[in-house]
Amino acid sequence: RFEDPAAQQGLSMVDAFSLPESGRRVLSVQSHVVHGYVGNRSAVFPLQLLGFDVDVINSVQFSCHTGYPAFPGQKLSGEDLHTLVDGLASNEVLNHLHLLTGYIGTAS
């Protein structure tokens, strides 16, 4: 669930640029597809247009979304996710105010 700091301050989403830079950082952990617009493919660009600084972790990479008969690709394991998050933390850039999640692909 995306918590909108602009709305909490009585602003519309188009006023996100008026938020302090630290209030515009989003970590988006969602799917990625080569063909189509779901997950990070559909979320990142609009958020950037609204003034948010979006860091992306692709939980899966599929050829197409799961509504197609075939969607071969890769799934990020829990261990791989931890590795990425640990890398952000060790470089002191894991300071997102917002977490946007979607399709994960594995229970781990």
Side-chain angles (χ1 to χ4, degrees):
R1 187 171 137 222
F2 181 72
E3 294 292 332
D4 178 8
Q8 292 172 358
Q9 295 180 28
L11 305 171
S12 70
M13 283 296 292
V14 293
D15 294 322
F17 285 107
S18 65
L19 294 171
E21 188 173 332
S22 62
R24 291 183 261 154
R25 295 203 23 103
V26 178
L27 178 59
S28 182
V29 183
Q30 299 192 69
S31 62
H32 173 81
V33 293
V34 176
H35 172 77
Y37 295 94
V38 297
N40 279 326
R41 286 273 303 224
S42 65
V44 173
F45 184 61
L47 287 169
Q48 289 171 328
L49 283 177
L50 292 169
F52 290 92
D53 181 16
V54 184
D55 289 334
V56 172
I57 295 177
N58 292 321
S59 59
V60 300
Q61 178 172 276
F62 292 151
S63 59
C64 302
H65 67 71
T66 57
Y68 280 82
F71 47 93
Q74 301 83 33
K75 296 179 182 179
L76 191 70
S77 71
E79 183 179 328
D80 291 334
L81 176 60
H82 280 283
T83 299
L84 292 172
V85 172
D86 289 346
L88 293 171
S90 67
N91 287 307
E92 299 180 5
V93 293
L94 187 62
N95 53 4
H96 305 86
L97 187 60
H98 313 284
L99 175 64
L100 180 60
T101 62
Y103 182 81
I104 300 297
T106 63
S108 64

